[in-house]
């Protein structure tokens, strides 16, 4: 039994030696293959030239393009109807003023006619025609009044040829003396129409 143990130990050592020898062989063989001298490739040279950047031609800067002017907005023509309306609006005040003035003038004419009739009635009521009065006789008088309606002067501008007839006309105006209703007139109407009155006396009628 003691003899078997050294044999087995011997075999184990032998086996280990063979195994290690094989490992070393393979390692040495592969190392030799990998350590073969590699082929050296000589580098290729490229010719180059130094360039001074200061002397180099600088690219011309591009001119900044001017911005295009914005197109002016087109004037939109107003519709003709709107223009007509504006034209009417411009003339409306003038038209209204003219219409107002026309109405005022018409009122003044009516007022003047009314007061003229009033004056003639007052004078005719105070006129005593002389017996010597004949058709064709005519005397013209200028009567001056103040805004109160007071008669301040009577002037004969045309004689009838009969002293009695002329005197009777002047006396008729002085008898009235004052036309009270003239105080109701505005100053403009009075100055325009009644400051001075021209009266024409005839035997058959009395006219302003």
């Amino acid at each position: 039994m003691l003899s078997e143990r050294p044999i087995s130990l011997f075999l184990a050592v032998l086996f280990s030696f063979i195994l290690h020898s094989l490992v070393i062989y393979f390692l040495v063989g592969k190392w030799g293959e990998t350590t073969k001298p590699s082929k050296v490739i000589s580098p290729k040279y490229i010719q180059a030239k130094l360039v001074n950047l200061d002397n180099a031609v600088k690219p011309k800067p591009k001119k900044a393009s001017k911005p295009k002017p914005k197109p002016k907005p087109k004037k939109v023509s107003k519709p003709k109807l709107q223009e007509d309306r504006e034209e009417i609006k411009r003339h409306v005040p003038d038209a209204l003023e003219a219409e107002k003035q026309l109405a005022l003038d018409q009122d003044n004419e009516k007022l003047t006619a009314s007061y003229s009739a009033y004056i003639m009635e007052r004078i005719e009521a105070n006129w005593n025609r002389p017996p010597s009065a004949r058709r064709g006789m005519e005397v013209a008088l200028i009567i001056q009044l103040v805004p109160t309606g007071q008669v301040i002067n009577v002037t004969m501008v045309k004689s009838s040829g009969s002293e009695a007839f002329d005197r009777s006309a002047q006396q008729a105006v002085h008898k009235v003396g004052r036309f009270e209703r003239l105080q109701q007139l505005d100053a403009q109407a009075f100055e325009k129409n009644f400051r001075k009155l021209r009266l024409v006396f005839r035997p058959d009628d009395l006219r302003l």
Side-chain angles (χ1 to χ4, degrees):
M1 187 145 180
L2 292 170
S3 61
E4 291 178 0
R5 187 173 181 182
I7 295 172
S8 60
L9 183 60
F10 174 78
L11 289 174
V13 172
L14 180 64
F15 180 76
S16 176
F17 176 77
I18 295 170
L19 182 61
H20 280 80
S21 297
L22 289 173
V23 171
I24 290 170
Y25 172 76
F26 279 106
L27 287 173
V28 171
K30 293 293 182 181
W31 179 259
E33 290 179 2
T34 57
T35 57
K36 287 181 180 180
S38 58
K39 188 177 179 182
V40 178
I41 300 173
S42 59
K44 293 182 179 180
Y45 296 98
I46 300 173
Q47 290 184 354
K49 185 179 180 181
L50 292 174
V51 177
N52 188 351
L53 293 178
D54 295 334
N55 296 330
V57 179
K58 295 181 181 179
K60 294 182 179 180
K62 293 183 179 180
K63 292 183 179 179
S65 58
K66 294 181 180 179
K68 294 182 179 179
K70 293 182 181 180
K72 292 182 180 179
K74 294 182 179 179
K75 291 183 179 179
V76 181
S77 58
K78 295 180 180 178
K80 191 174 187 309
L81 181 59
Q82 186 177 354
E83 291 180 355
D84 293 343
R85 286 176 179 173
E86 290 181 358
E87 187 69 20
I88 290 171
K89 285 180 181 179
R90 283 197 295 271
H91 290 290
V92 161
D94 296 338
L96 290 175
E97 188 63 28
E99 186 177 353
K100 183 179 178 181
Q101 187 62 40
L102 179 62
L104 186 62
D105 291 342
Q106 290 176 348
D107 291 342
N108 286 336
E109 286 180 4
K110 292 179 181 179
L111 196 64
T112 300
S114 173
Y115 279 91
S116 297
Y118 158 72
I119 290 171
M120 288 188 292
E121 287 174 3
R122 290 290 308 278
I123 293 175
E124 190 171 5
N126 289 274
W127 185 25
N128 293 319
R129 296 172 179 83
S132 60
R134 299 285 183 273
R135 284 186 176 275
M137 288 185 177
E138 183 178 283
V139 58
L141 303 178
I142 295 294
I143 303 173
Q144 292 182 343
L145 304 170
V146 292
T148 59
Q150 183 71 37
V151 178
I152 59 173
N153 190 28
V154 178
T155 304
M156 183 175 64
V157 293
K158 181 181 178 182
S159 174
S160 65
S162 170
E163 185 178 348
F165 189 81
D166 295 345
R167 186 171 55 253
S168 68
Q170 294 178 32
Q171 288 175 349
V173 177
H174 285 295
K175 282 182 182 179
V176 176
R178 182 177 178 183
F179 302 91
E180 294 86 357
R181 283 181 57 186
L182 293 182
Q183 298 178 68
Q184 301 172 11
L185 285 171
D186 61 85
Q188 185 178 0
F190 176 81
E191 292 293 336
K192 183 179 179 181
N193 300 293
F194 298 101
R195 173 65 71 176
K196 284 185 179 183
L197 288 177
R198 186 176 188 274
L199 297 179
V200 177
F201 290 77
R202 297 188 182 96
D204 52 343
D205 62 7
L206 174 65
R207 294 182 183 178
L208 284 172

